[in-house]
Amino acid sequence: MQGSVCGTPGSQLLLKLERTALRVADFLRGGRPRAWPAPPPASTSAQGPAQAVLIDRRGGAGPSCFPPSSVVMTASHSDSLVVLFGATAGASGAKLGADERELILLVWQVVDLHSKQTGILHKALVKADNLELTEQCREETGLTPEGLSNAEPLDRVLQQFHQLVLNDLEALGGSSFTLCTDGQLLIRQVFHPEASKKNVQLPECFFSFFDLRKEFKECCPTAAAVKDQTIKSMAEFLEISSDDTDNDFGVWEVTTMVNTVLALISWPYDHEFVGPETVKYKYETGPCSKSEVVDGETVIRARGLPWQSSDQDIARFFKGLNIAKGGVALCLNAQGRRNGEALVRFVNAEQRNLALERNKHHMGSRYIEVYKATGEEFLKIAGGTSNEVAQFLSKENQVIIRMRGLPFTATPEDVLGFLGTECPVTGGKEGLLFVKYPDGRPTGDAFVLFSCEEYAQQALKKHKEILGKRYIELFRSTAAEVQQVLNRYLSTPLIPTLPAPLIPMIPQHYPIASGTVRDCIRLRGLPYTAAIDDILEFMGDSTVDIKPHGVHMVLNQQGRPSGDAFIQMKSADRAFIVAQKCHKKMMKDRYVEVFQCSGEEMNFVLMGGTLNRSGLSPPPCKLPCLSPPGYAAFQAATAVIPADAAALYQTPALFAAARGAYASVAAPQAVAYYPAQATQLYMNYTAYYPSPPVSPTTMGYIAAPTASLAAAASASHTQMMPQPGALVRMQGLPYNTGMKEILSFFQGYQYAPDDYNGLIQMNDQARSVLQAPKEWLRTDSILVLYNFSGRPSEALVAFPSVEMAKKAVSEKHSQLIGGKNIDLSLV
């Protein structure tokens, strides 16, 4: 065997037999195999232990110019390893690359796996764009900004690295090589992200490498876990003597790694370096089925993305990490527009954990938050069941463009003519997917497939050009976005009668303010964490002048606090005094502006309009272009929750108690500060999943019945919900639960309209109206209750009989919705 410590074949055989016997004896004693003397230290050239990189300016062709060579840079069975070590201007060790600091040092040496010979040990400094070094970096490396200022930039150092490795391979007689590093961070968290940001093309060898820690663990399974290994601990386990007092940072590390490699490929381990780690060259698009099993330990959520980001932009942000095929899902808001969030699925948990280390890294000038998500969340966004969508997305490696604002009469021929011959659509008409409502009406959206990036770029140049009498918006899209949009429109609408007003399920004894009397105040600039208790404390002794159910928190389209609130006071004089007294008073380190306003102005804002210095801007639902003439007006309907059920929700969060010093003041007893009747909320009739812009403190919403049914119910003075004995209470709902999830949870327990006959006492007129579509009855049997953060907390579900309700509780109790156990109980 070449490179053995003995010369003749006979002596080699005797030595091998002797060591085999000793190894078997060690195994029988239960100890680890003994370590033999370490291989000779890495050979060096006559120029000294470390040769500095020589600047060769003859290439000069830019970052993608690497010298041509017949040498194979990476192979499944490479005959050489390039042991590589690096350092950045920031953290080291387990946090290498987590702070986005640039590479400043590279040290490497070639090892021939057959002859066990080594090449020259090279060391190169890299000039960073930001030469500021952390204290930790200065102490460990001994480098200074002045010393780095004369170094070469990354693209030049990569060219030199590539050329010197080829020279060493030629000297050693090798034909292929693979990189070998201490862990994964240097390649995945340093080289690839930095090269991506600087638009530097990495050599092919950086897409395949061996993790020395994993190779060591494979040979020595009794050693510590891979994540706990270090260069020093591996050397100590193998009993390799090393002197770490060398002040030349990086040289000891590479020398010790080389000796570790030589020990692993020698007897008694005789390890072979096969099956290297790989880095994907590009992100692969593809569809995802809702029936697919997604490991919850492989998914993250990225927040703060620019709205125009595509899946390729997100893949570039996570460059160096392997994203699963079709693993980028851009999230949409209630209006079908991107909300700056995305769910990303990686190939395994190790890649996901590395992605979490990129929290607060930058995409352009924006920092991106990265945190854990679940497989259920990913499937909810990216999963689909439509065969039409699956067929559309079956063509892989296509660029998807979304068209928005198409005329409702647009045909495939119109779209193909609009795009023109300069950007041909893949498959012609088969490359078009029109988005429609469940009843077949077009939504004005469509998705288009292009075979290459060039055609997609040509199509994007037509952004806001005219088709018919409308301008068309074009955006990059993803397979997950196609699924989301189709799921949104093709699913059964949560509110079947559109655009029915939403009415609160609270007794209507306190009508909301209206008119021009300025007996209300507006609070602007509230902390986003402020709750109603904080507002009452902010107002102090003026809380006694608040009308019952008179505090209204305003939420934005995402259901989050907007920083505004309205309060109804007992009179205009009281409102004026409070505005003067509390204006610019502090709440949680923020000053809050307080203005006097009228009930009419408050109603406009609660319905989605805006109130600013230029006056009132009506809510979108009041604009003629959004509401068809047939939906001009609706009559209010009475809806009453049973008294026994309502008593369950009279918690301290809803009913404010007396406050210390103000207890002696004559205040209304048991006053609830949420509104008992909210303004009728007319929504855009094209929105199937509305996000009410008002406070969820109205406790819950339900689709209003038709005006005739409301009148019939009012005439009979009967309740619109079944008796309490047939109500089931659901607790522990996930924050994103809707009607659809609850209906799916109780699938098989729905009942037909005829089942209402024995449950609700009403006159003939009301009963005739109840012979309505079963869809209204199914959704109307559910009452979702929201907390003060605007998220669902509980729900009440009506059943036709106590027996059926008991059966549902016994069979469905503690089952899952969105990964959470749901508690069921009879009311």
Side-chain angles (χ1 to χ4, degrees):
M1 180 184 297
Q2 275 190 326
S4 299
V5 294
C6 301
T8 65
S11 62
Q12 292 181 26
L13 179 60
L14 290 175
L15 179 61
K16 187 171 184 179
L17 290 174
E18 179 184 358
R19 288 186 173 178
T20 301
L22 292 174
R23 187 181 180 190
V24 171
D26 290 340
F27 176 77
L28 294 175
R29 288 198 309 269
R32 76 169 191 263
R34 66 186 64 194
W36 309 107
S43 62
T44 59
S45 69
Q47 299 175 355
Q51 177 175 316
V53 174
L54 299 178
I55 307 302
D56 182 5
R57 302 187 182 276
R58 290 175 296 174
S64 62
C65 178
F66 295 100
S69 173
S70 59
V71 174
V72 178
M73 291 179 286
T74 302
S76 58
H77 294 279
S78 301
D79 54 25
S80 300
L81 293 181
V82 177
V83 176
L84 182 66
F85 178 82
T88 68
S92 60
K95 291 296 182 181
L96 182 69
D99 53 4
E100 288 189 284
R101 300 306 297 269
E102 298 170 84
L103 188 73
I104 60 171
L105 175 67
L106 273 184
V107 186
W108 71 91
Q109 190 171 22
V110 177
V111 180
D112 190 303
L113 297 177
H114 296 317
S115 66
K116 300 180 183 177
Q117 298 297 314
T118 60
I120 301 172
L121 193 150
H122 301 276
K123 180 176 181 179
L125 300 181
V126 184
K127 184 178 181 180
D129 294 339
N130 181 6
L131 293 177
E132 181 181 355
L133 308 180
T134 64
E135 288 299 325
Q136 178 186 2
C137 176
R138 289 173 181 265
E139 293 176 3
E140 291 182 349
T141 65
L143 299 175
T144 62
E146 293 75 17
L148 292 173
S149 61
N150 297 323
E152 291 289 333
L154 178 63
D155 55 344
R156 293 289 301 167
V157 172
L158 287 175
Q159 292 183 46
Q160 298 155 13
F161 165 82
H162 185 265
Q163 183 61 59
L164 290 170
V165 167
L166 296 184
N167 293 342
D168 288 346
L169 274 182
E170 185 178 355
L172 294 172
S175 60
S176 62
F177 72 91
T178 305
L179 299 182
C180 180
T181 61
D182 174 34
Q184 311 229 349
L185 301 183
L186 180 62
I187 299 296
R188 296 193 185 275
Q189 299 286 66
V190 178
F191 269 105
H192 281 278
E194 183 173 341
S196 178
K197 290 179 181 178
K198 295 181 176 180
N199 291 319
V200 174
Q201 181 179 341
L202 288 174
E204 185 182 350
C205 59
F206 283 89
F207 290 85
S208 178
F209 66 98
F210 286 105
D211 182 345
L212 183 58
R213 298 185 185 188
K214 290 185 177 180
E215 303 298 320
F216 168 79
K217 181 65 175 178
E218 183 179 342
C219 293
C220 307
T222 60
V226 172
K227 63 183 179 63
D228 299 324
Q229 295 289 354
T230 64
I231 296 175
K232 187 174 182 180
S233 68
M234 289 187 290
E236 290 176 349
F237 189 92
L238 296 173
E239 298 181 3
I240 296 175
S241 59
S242 60
D243 181 12
D244 58 356
T245 60
D246 193 340
N247 293 328
D248 197 358
F249 181 77
V251 173
W252 175 84
E253 284 79 0
V254 170
T255 301
T256 306
M257 290 171 65
V258 168
N259 288 334
T260 301
V261 170
L262 293 174
L264 294 180
I265 63 177
S266 300
W267 196 89
Y269 300 107
D270 294 329
H271 179 65
E272 293 185 5
F273 284 81
V274 294
E277 302 281 329
T278 58
V279 180
K280 288 188 175 182
Y281 286 90
K282 59 181 292 186
Y283 167 67
E284 297 178 275
T285 61
C288 176
S289 171
K290 281 190 178 294
S291 61
E292 187 174 342
V293 178
V294 177
D295 185 0
E297 296 298 317
T298 63
V299 182
I300 61 94
R301 181 183 293 271
R303 185 164 64 183
L305 300 166
W307 68 268
Q308 70 273 28
S309 298
S310 67
D311 54 350
Q312 297 295 338
D313 296 323
I314 297 171
R316 185 174 182 178
F317 175 81
F318 290 108
K319 188 69 175 176
L321 307 180
N322 293 339
I323 299 175
K325 183 177 180 179
V328 177
L330 294 165
C331 301
L332 307 181
N333 61 18
Q335 289 72 42
R337 300 176 185 271
R338 297 172 186 173
N339 63 3
E341 296 187 5
L343 292 170
V344 185
R345 176 188 177 192
F346 293 90
V347 295
N348 54 43
E350 181 184 32
Q351 303 287 308
R352 195 278 299 267
N353 293 335
L354 292 175
L356 292 173
E357 293 297 326
R358 300 196 187 182
N359 183 40
K360 298 292 182 73
H361 281 204
H362 289 76
M363 180 184 289
S365 60
R366 299 173 65 99
Y367 73 83
I368 309 301
E369 296 177 282
V370 180
Y371 50 95
K372 294 181 180 179
T374 65
E376 289 82 2
E377 290 178 293
F378 181 83
L379 283 178
K380 185 173 182 180
I381 297 297
T385 57
S386 170
N387 292 331
E388 183 182 12
V389 177
Q391 183 178 0
F392 177 77
L393 297 175
S394 62
K395 303 177 180 66
E396 298 181 358
N397 299 322
Q398 300 289 310
V399 184
I400 305 175
I401 298 295
R402 180 181 181 182
M403 303 180 69
R404 193 166 62 196
L406 292 170
F408 294 151
T409 58
T411 64
E413 290 77 11
D414 296 332
V415 175
L416 294 175
F418 172 81
L419 294 172
T421 57
E422 63 272 19
C423 40
V425 177
T426 301
K429 295 181 181 180
E430 294 182 359
L432 299 176
L433 179 63
F434 288 90
V435 183
K436 298 179 180 180
Y437 290 115
D439 58 4
R441 291 183 297 117
T443 65
D445 280 25
F447 293 93
V448 188
L449 294 178
F450 294 99
S451 59
C452 64
E453 185 67 29
E454 180 183 356
Y455 293 157
Q457 290 287 355
Q458 290 293 331
L460 290 173
K461 293 179 181 179
K462 297 181 178 292
H463 180 60
K464 291 197 174 181
E465 289 190 6
I466 302 298
L467 174 59
K469 296 182 179 180
R470 300 176 64 104
Y471 71 86
I472 310 302
E473 297 176 292
L474 288 90
F475 308 96
R476 288 183 177 275
S477 188
T478 67
E481 185 173 6
V482 176
Q483 298 280 23
Q484 284 185 82
V485 174
L486 268 295
N487 289 345
R488 184 182 299 269
Y489 287 113
L490 294 180
S491 299
T492 303
L494 295 182
I495 301 179
T497 306
L498 295 177
L502 300 174
I503 63 174
M505 295 300 295
I506 300 293
Q508 304 180 10
H509 301 303
Y510 303 99
I512 203 166
S514 60
T516 59
V517 178
R518 301 175 64 81
D519 57 352
C520 303
I521 59 172
R522 179 190 186 186
L523 278 62
R524 187 170 66 186
L526 295 169
Y528 294 133
T529 57
I532 289 183
D533 282 349
D534 299 312
I535 294 176
L536 298 181
E537 184 176 351
F538 171 80
M539 295 186 62
D541 54 4
S542 299
T543 54
V544 298
D545 297 320
I546 300 176
K547 285 185 178 181
H549 309 276
V551 177
H552 308 265
M553 301 283 287
V554 182
L555 305 183
N556 60 20
Q557 294 290 343
Q558 286 73 44
R560 297 173 180 170
S562 65
D564 281 21
F566 286 91
I567 301 176
Q568 295 175 254
M569 307 302 294
K570 291 183 177 179
S571 66
D573 294 337
R574 297 292 185 181
F576 175 79
I577 293 173
V578 174
Q580 294 295 318
K581 179 180 177 181
C582 298
H583 185 56
K584 294 197 175 180
K585 184 178 174 181
M586 300 298 293
M587 179 190 295
K588 294 184 178 181
D589 300 327
R590 294 191 64 172
Y591 74 85
V592 178
E593 298 176 292
V594 183
F595 307 100
Q596 188 179 8
C597 66
S598 66
E600 180 183 14
E601 293 169 336
M602 180 178 69
N603 283 335
F604 265 81
V605 176
L606 292 182
M607 287 193 302
T610 58
L611 177 62
N612 47 44
R613 295 179 180 178
S614 59
L616 289 170
S617 297
C621 50
K622 290 293 186 179
L623 298 179
C625 61
L626 293 181
S627 296
Y631 299 142
F634 295 87
Q635 298 181 18
T638 303
V640 180
I641 191 171
D644 293 343
L648 294 173
Y649 299 96
Q650 296 180 5
T651 63
L654 295 178
F655 294 87
R659 296 179 172 273
Y662 313 124
S664 60
V665 181
Q669 68 276 15
V671 174
Y673 288 98
Y674 53 86
Q677 175 183 356
T679 302
Q680 294 296 311
L681 305 177
Y682 297 97
M683 61 187 177
N684 182 350
Y685 72 98
T686 62
Y688 271 35
Y689 292 73
S691 184
V694 300
S695 169
T697 54
T698 49
M699 210 171 155
Y701 297 98
I702 193 166
T706 60
S708 55
L709 177 58
S714 300
S716 62
H717 300 287
T718 57
Q719 295 180 345
M720 295 296 295
M721 293 285 291
Q723 295 300 317
L727 286 178
V728 172
R729 179 183 182 183
M730 304 179 67
Q731 295 176 292
L733 296 175
Y735 73 91
N736 54 357
T737 303
M739 293 279 191
K740 187 177 180 181
E741 286 76 17
I742 297 176
L743 287 174
S744 298
F745 183 78
F746 285 113
Q747 187 174 5
Y749 293 94
Q750 288 91 348
Y751 43 91
D754 294 339
D755 295 329
Y756 270 95
N757 294 337
L759 301 175
I760 305 176
Q761 299 177 359
M762 58 180 64
N763 56 29
D764 294 338
Q765 182 184 4
R767 184 173 292 105
S768 64
V769 177
L770 269 178
Q771 308 307 315
K774 295 172 64 176
E775 182 63 35
W776 181 87
L777 293 173
R778 290 204 299 268
T779 56
D780 197 42
S781 63
I782 298 173
L783 170 62
V784 180
L785 306 176
Y786 296 84
N787 58 25
F788 286 110
S789 300
R791 295 179 175 179
S793 59
E794 301 182 10
L796 294 175
V797 184
F799 284 84
S801 65
V802 176
E803 290 73 19
M804 184 175 289
K806 289 181 178 179
K807 180 182 178 183
V809 171
S810 63
E811 295 179 354
K812 306 295 288 186
H813 179 67
S814 294
Q815 291 195 16
L816 299 178
I817 292 182
K820 295 189 65 176
N821 294 97
I822 306 301
D823 294 326
L824 301 180
S825 59
L826 283 176
V827 176

